[in-house]
C-alpha cells in the first residue's frame, strides 16, 4: 500500500457503451467499473471490440451511446507502438513526461527505472527506429506509465516481449495494483484471469 493513494475510489466508469461501424454492431451496452487497486481484464475473440472499447475509454474514439467517466490521470498503451522514429528513449520519456507536468530529469529517471524493470537499458542513445520490435514495445509500455497515472489502459502490450520480459510485465501490473492504481488490460492470456479483479468478456452472445 502507498500512502496518499485513494484505494477503492472509482477511476473508470463506462456505462452502456455502444459502437457501430456502418451496419456492424461492435459494442452493445457495455459496462465496466474499475477502482483504485484493481486490475480488470478485457477478453474476447478477434474482432470482438476490445481495442475499440479501450480507445473509447481513453477518449480516442467516440461511442454512439453511453458514457465514460474518469477520475484522475490516464496512461494509454496502444497495440501498435506510436513512437517518434527519430527520437531516442530518453527524449520520449521527456516528451511524455512534459505532457504530465513532469520535469525532464524526473521523467528520464523514471523512464529508465521502469525500463530496467523490463530488463532494458534505456540510456543507450538509439533512435526508436533502430530498436528491436520487442524493445519498441517496452518503450511503448513505459510511456503509458510515465508520470504515474491513476488509471492505466493497456491494449495487449506484451506482443514481441521475450519470456522474461513478459513475466516482468505481469509483475508490473500487479505491483501497480498494490500501489493503488487502476489497470485495464486487453489480454488473450486466460491462464492469468484468476489473478485479476474483474473480467469483461466481449465475446458476442450467440442467439
Ligand atoms: N475505424 C474502424 N472503422 C471500421 N471498422 C472498424 C474500425 N475499427 C475497428 N473496426 C472493426 O470493429 C471490429 C472490432 O475491432 P477491434 O479492433 O476493436 O477488435 P479486437 O477485439 O480488439 O480484435 P483483436 O483481438 O483482433 O485485436 C472489427 O470488426 C474491426 O474490423
Amino acid at each position: 500500500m502507498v500512502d496518499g493513494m485513494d484505494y477503492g475510489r472509482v477511476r473508470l466508469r463506462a456505462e452502456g457503451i455502444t459502437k457501430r461501424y456502418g451496419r456492424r454492431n461492435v459494442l452493445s451496452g457495455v459496462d465496466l467499473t474499475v477502482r483504485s487497486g484493481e486490475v480488470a481484464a478485457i477478453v474476447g475473440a478477434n474482432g470482438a471490440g476490445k481495442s475499440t472499447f479501450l480507445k473509447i475509454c481513453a477518449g480516442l474514439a467516440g461511442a454512439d451511446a453511453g458514457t465514460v467517466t474518469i477520475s484522475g490521470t490516464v496512461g494509454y498503451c496502444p497495440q501498435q507502438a506510436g513512437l517518434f522514429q527519430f527520437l531516442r528513449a530518453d527524449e520520449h520519456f521527456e516528451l511524455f513526461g512534459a505532457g504530465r507536468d513532469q520535469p525532464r530529469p524526473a521523467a528520464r529517471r523514471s523512464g529508465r527505472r521502469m525500463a530496467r524493470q523490463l530488463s532494458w537499458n534505456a540510456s543507450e542513445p538509439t533512435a526508436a527506429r533502430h530498436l528491436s520490435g520487442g524493445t519498441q514495445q517496452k518503450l511503448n509500455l513505459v510511456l503509458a506509465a510515465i508520470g504515474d497515472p491513476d488509471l492505466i489502459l493497456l491494449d495487449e502490450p506484451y506482443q514481441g516481449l521475450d519470456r522474461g520480459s513478459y513475466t516482468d510485465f505481469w509483475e508490473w501490473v500487479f505491483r501497480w495494483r498494490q500501489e493503488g492504481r487502476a489497470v485495464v488490460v486487453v489480454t488473450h492470456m486466460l491462464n492469468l484471469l484468476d489473478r485479476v479483479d474483474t473480467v469483461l468478456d466481449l465475446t458476442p452472445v450467440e442467439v
Side-chain angles (χ1 to χ4, degrees):
M1 289 248 180
V2 172
D3 286 345
M5 287 307 287
D6 225 346
Y7 290 84
R9 175 171 175 179
V10 173
R11 290 295 184 192
L12 168 70
R13 194 187 296 281
E15 292 177 293
I17 301 300
T18 297
K19 181 75 178 176
R20 277 173 229 99
Y21 284 117
R23 295 169 66 184
R24 180 151 187 236
N25 242 349
V26 177
L27 300 167
S28 302
V30 177
D31 299 326
L32 178 68
T33 298
V34 191
R35 295 179 164 75
S36 289
E38 287 183 354
V39 176
I42 303 180
V43 301
N46 293 130
K50 302 179 296 296
S51 296
T52 302
F53 181 73
L54 208 67
K55 280 183 200 153
I56 291 171
C57 291
L60 298 170
D64 294 312
T67 55
V68 173
T69 311
I70 284 176
S71 148
T73 50
V74 186
Y76 169 69
C77 178
Q79 208 172 69
Q80 302 296 332
L83 304 176
F84 297 91
Q85 295 300 310
F86 290 90
L87 297 189
R88 301 189 303 264
D90 272 347
E91 292 169 321
H92 281 85
F93 301 151
E94 290 171 7
L95 194 63
F96 279 66
R100 299 203 179 113
D101 293 330
Q102 211 174 31
R104 285 177 173 200
R108 250 193 336 263
R109 267 198 311 278
S110 97
R112 287 181 181 186
R113 179 177 42 78
M114 289 192 278
R116 272 196 303 277
Q117 290 166 354
L118 293 172
S119 313
W120 168 40
N121 175 8
S123 60
E124 287 171 5
T126 308
R129 69 188 196 284
H130 292 141
L131 295 173
S132 72
T135 309
Q136 290 194 14
Q137 187 64 329
K138 290 179 187 180
L139 177 54
N140 190 27
L141 246 176
V142 170
L143 294 179
I146 282 272
D148 297 330
D150 302 304
L151 169 67
I152 306 178
L153 307 171
L154 306 164
D155 193 351
E156 285 188 79
Y158 39 71
Q159 288 175 23
L161 295 193
D162 57 44
R163 204 186 168 96
S165 305
Y166 174 75
T167 308
D168 294 339
F169 160 71
W170 280 103
E171 274 176 22
W172 238 24
V173 167
F174 295 119
R175 194 178 317 139
W176 281 333
R177 168 166 69 185
Q178 219 175 352
E179 288 173 359
R181 284 175 228 296
V183 188
V184 181
V185 196
V186 170
T187 183
H188 290 284
M189 300 299 143
L190 304 184
N191 57 326
L192 281 157
L193 293 187
D194 56 346
R195 291 188 64 194
V196 307
D197 302 284
T198 307
V199 178
L200 171 63
D201 188 350
L202 293 180
T203 306
V205 181
E206 299 282 337
V207 283

